[in-house]
Structures are given as structure tokens and as C-alpha cells.
Amino acid sequence: MNDFLLIFKALADRNRLRIMAALLQYDELCACQLTELLGVAGATSSRHLAQLQNSGLIQGRKKGRWVFYSMVEELPYDFPLTWLQDKLLSTKDIVEDDKKRLATIMTESPENICRRQRGEEFGDAGEFKK
Amino acid sequence: MNDFLLIFKALADRNRLRIMAALLQYDELCACQLTELLGVAGATSSRHLAQLQNSGLIQGRKKGRWVFYSMVEELPYDFPLTWLQDKLLSTKDIVEDDKKRLATIMTESPENICRRQRGEEFGDAGEFKK
DNA sequence: TACATGTTTAGCTATATGACTAAATATAAT
DNA sequence: ATTATATTTAGTCATATAGCTAAACATGTA
């Protein structure tokens, strides 16, 4: 298949761009933190992460039960990450709200995030529109 | 809506990347030449061109009955066109065959291409209308 | 061992996308 | 004006994609 095309397909989704923006701000984030950021089901966020990983842009590092994701250092096709970072982080409608959400998420332990996600699997406080 | 995302969506399709590659090799190409290159229905290629144009990467110039497409000079979000050109034109499975096809197409007049396309609307072999 | 927990995979559904044909539009030629 | 022609839009269909829940997997803990 076509690796070059995979890069654009990986970036052609709003939630995956949000993941990229998050990983461009923090060296490493675990799956549950990114799930919390996106506000989607864990399975959904996992699929997005798999697609980004498959494109060669991000990598996952397993540490016990957690998987920490980060940008790949040696990017495929010399992908211009600096440009992406510059534009992504200054594009309001994608990451502005996420910056605050991320800051909050980083103050919590992954354990607490995961615990809350488990608890919220069914009916949280109605904040589940989509 | 999100313009930045539109760029990646525009590039997340093999046929649209083929169009980009073609326009990175030739200053201007008319719709029928690009249709001929892709080997799809004229309507299909027209929709791809519209999407690329809507993303801000290419532009169309009307000249009589023909519409000539070309890259936009002032690209949105400082899109790194040099990088795209470099990688796209050296990625075999996308453009290698197209380079020869394009060279052939350029030896013909748009009129002939359009005439053949009309004739080939139904079944390409043997259907010699007029 | 058994259980708990973080993540992924499987299976499903709704929407988005890309392909086609036919009709509509815009412009040139007669 | 009428016809021809290049392109776009409308309408349809099949496939791809993104979301969900539930089950499976992998690993830590009792």
C-alpha cells in the first residue's frame, strides 16, 4: 500500500489532529489521557491512535498496563513537523479548548482518569451528546 | 468549518494526490487532461478538482469552454509545497506511471482528448461514434 | 490461582466519501 | 437562435470511516 497517502489519511480527521496537537505539547501521554481529552469511548480513541501509529507519525511505549504515546523522532518522508506544530497550535478551532483541558488532565494521575472513565462508561451527567 | 483540516482531507485520496503531482509538473492543465490522466468519469474528476480548489491548494482559470487548473501561489497555512513536490514526485506507486501518461497527454490537443472522452463514454473499444 | 485494570479487537450502525450516469450550465460555433 | 461541447451539479449506489458496546487481551495485584 501507499505509505505517503497514509500520512494524509491519518491527519484528515479532527480528533486525530487533536491527538497530534496534544502530543506536540507534551512529550508523552497515555491512552487514557488522550481518551479523556477527546471525550470519546476508549475503543474509539484507541483506533485513532492505531491509525496514527500505522502512518508512522506517533509511537506507543508500553509501561505495565499503560501505553504512552509520543511523536516519532525519525518521521516518515521527512514530514515537516515544525510546520505542523506551528500551524496546529495556533489554529483556534482545533486546539484552543484542548489546551485548557490538557492542563487539567495533567494535574490528575492516569489512575484517577481511568477510574473516572470506568465509572462513566454508562450514563454520566448527561454530558454525553454526539 | 476548519480550513486546516480541509487541506489534509483534500490530500487524503490517491486520485487527488495524482492531480497534485500532475500540477506540480506542469504549470497548467485543463480539466479534460486531468480526467484523462486519472482515467475516471469527467464528473468524478471535476468533484476532486472542486475539493482541492476548496481547500485552497489549487485554482481554476476559465478560458472559453476550458478550465485550466494550477497550483495556488499563496498557499493556505504556508503549506510546505516544496516538501510535497519533493516527496510526491519521488513516490513511485503514485506518480511513476502517470509521468509517462502525462507526457503522452501533453502531445495531444485538449480538443482531441475531449473528443476521445466523449466517444469513450460508453465502452472504450470499438465504439467509434462518427 | 483468581481477580482487577488499561488497552485493543470484534461486531454493529450511521454517516461520509468516491464512483457512476444523466441532467444542467456555460460558452463557442454554425 | 440552434446546436455542439467542456465542465459542473444532481441523484444513486457501494464502500470506507468513525462512533458505540461488549468481549478479548495483556498485565499487575491479592
Side-chain angles (χ1 to χ4, degrees):
Chain A
M1 242 292 272
N2 184 345
D3 293 345
F4 193 58
L5 181 55
L6 281 189
I7 294 178
F8 294 114
K9 282 182 176 285
L11 297 174
D13 175 86
R14 185 186 149 83
N15 279 340
R16 286 193 295 272
L17 279 188
R18 292 171 73 195
I19 291 172
M20 290 296 286
L23 294 178
L24 285 167
Q25 292 173 268
Y26 296 89
D27 281 353
E28 272 194 337
L29 291 169
C30 83
C32 72
Q33 291 174 310
L34 291 164
T35 298
E36 180 77 2
L37 174 68
L38 298 188
V40 297
T44 300
S45 128
S46 177
R47 271 172 41 99
H48 284 313
L49 288 165
Q51 186 170 352
L52 282 168
Q53 192 165 22
N54 186 245
S55 77
L57 292 171
I58 75 172
Q59 58 194 343
R61 178 179 69 87
K62 200 153 189 177
K63 182 81 178 288
R65 278 174 294 195
W66 281 272
V67 178
F68 290 91
Y69 286 95
S70 59
M71 298 302 309
V72 165
E73 329 76 45
E74 197 83 13
L75 289 162
Y77 293 88
D78 305 305
F79 185 83
L81 196 65
T82 306
W83 165 78
L84 182 71
Q85 174 159 357
D86 179 22
K87 299 309 169 189
L88 208 46
L89 299 190
S90 61
T91 299
K92 292 197 168 194
D93 52 351
I94 288 192
V95 293
E96 188 169 36
D97 293 344
D98 284 0
K99 285 183 182 175
K100 293 178 182 176
R101 278 172 75 102
L102 260 175
T104 304
I105 287 169
M106 293 306 281
T107 67
E108 273 184 293
S109 66
E111 285 88 347
N112 277 341
I113 293 173
C114 285
R115 179 155 31 245
R116 190 172 56 259
Q117 281 175 7
R118 240 180 308 123
E120 281 177 353
E121 277 299 318
F122 298 99
D124 69 339
E127 192 70 41
F128 206 62
K129 196 58 192 259
K130 178 78 220 214
Chain B
M1 241 294 272
N2 186 343
D3 293 344
F4 193 58
L5 182 55
L6 281 189
I7 292 178
F8 294 113
K9 282 182 178 286
L11 297 173
D13 176 85
R14 185 185 150 85
N15 280 340
R16 286 193 295 272
L17 280 188
R18 293 171 73 195
I19 291 172
M20 290 296 287
L23 293 180
L24 285 167
Q25 293 174 268
Y26 295 90
D27 280 353
E28 273 193 336
L29 292 169
C30 82
C32 71
Q33 289 174 310
L34 291 164
T35 298
E36 179 77 1
L37 173 68
L38 299 188
V40 297
T44 299
S45 127
S46 176
R47 274 174 41 96
H48 283 313
L49 289 165
Q51 185 169 352
L52 282 168
Q53 193 165 21
N54 186 245
S55 77
L57 293 170
I58 74 171
Q59 59 195 343
R61 178 178 68 89
K62 199 151 190 178
K63 180 83 179 284
R65 276 175 295 194
W66 281 272
V67 178
F68 290 90
Y69 286 94
S70 60
M71 298 301 308
V72 165
E73 330 74 48
E74 195 83 12
L75 288 161
Y77 293 88
D78 305 306
F79 185 83
L81 196 65
T82 306
W83 166 77
L84 182 72
Q85 173 159 359
D86 178 23
K87 299 308 169 188
L88 208 46
L89 299 190
S90 61
T91 300
K92 290 197 168 195
D93 52 351
I94 289 192
V95 293
E96 189 170 37
D97 292 345
D98 284 1
K99 285 183 182 176
K100 293 179 182 175
R101 278 173 76 101
L102 260 175
T104 303
I105 287 170
M106 294 307 282
T107 66
E108 273 185 294
S109 66
E111 285 89 345
N112 278 341
I113 293 173
C114 285
R115 177 153 37 244
R116 190 173 55 258
Q117 281 174 6
R118 241 179 307 124
E120 284 176 355
E121 278 296 319
F122 302 98
D124 63 341
E127 189 72 33
F128 286 88
K129 289 290 263 280
K130 185 234 139 59

